[in-house]
Amino acid sequence: MTTIENGSGTRELAGKRALVTGGSRGIGAAVVRQLLDAGAEVLTTASSATSTVPEGATFVAADLRTRAGAEALAAAAHEVLGGMDILVHNAGGPDRTPAPWPSR
């Protein structure tokens, strides 16, 4: 496991290709910045276009709650990165709204 410190600039991930879902804000954007600082080429996604993507990352809008969105992201990862070495699945997926607690 590689530990990346904020702003380390060690470039220990140079030549690596990373995909980060939900990378336009919050924890996802922080992960994107860390990967970029470590030298990785980064593709990130969110369900809609945004202006908050960390500089240096490539962005593609894809709603991962849908099959079409997941397929579009997979195609973009292949086209932009030519594959991937690192996947950080930070967002997306089916609706997991919990069922009501059964009463006795």
Side-chain angles (χ1 to χ4, degrees):
M1 182 169 127
T2 302
T3 302
I4 305 167
E5 294 184 22
N6 190 14
S8 67
T10 62
R11 313 297 288 173
E12 60 207 33
L13 297 178
K16 299 295 182 184
R17 303 160 299 175
L19 170 61
V20 180
T21 64
S24 64
R25 59 190 173 102
I27 292 170
V31 170
V32 169
R33 284 190 295 274
Q34 293 294 323
L35 290 166
L36 289 167
D37 285 349
E41 180 180 6
V42 181
L43 172 67
T44 190
T45 187
S47 59
S48 59
T50 179
S51 62
T52 60
V53 175
E55 187 176 338
T58 301
F59 177 81
V60 62
D63 185 349
L64 299 183
R65 296 172 295 179
T66 68
R67 181 181 184 107
E71 289 174 349
L73 180 58
H78 179 71
E79 182 180 324
V80 172
L81 300 174
M84 73 181 90
D85 303 297
I86 301 164
L87 170 64
V88 179
H89 187 47
N90 181 59
D95 182 7
R96 299 273 190 229
T97 305
W101 191 263
S103 59
R104 293 186 187 231

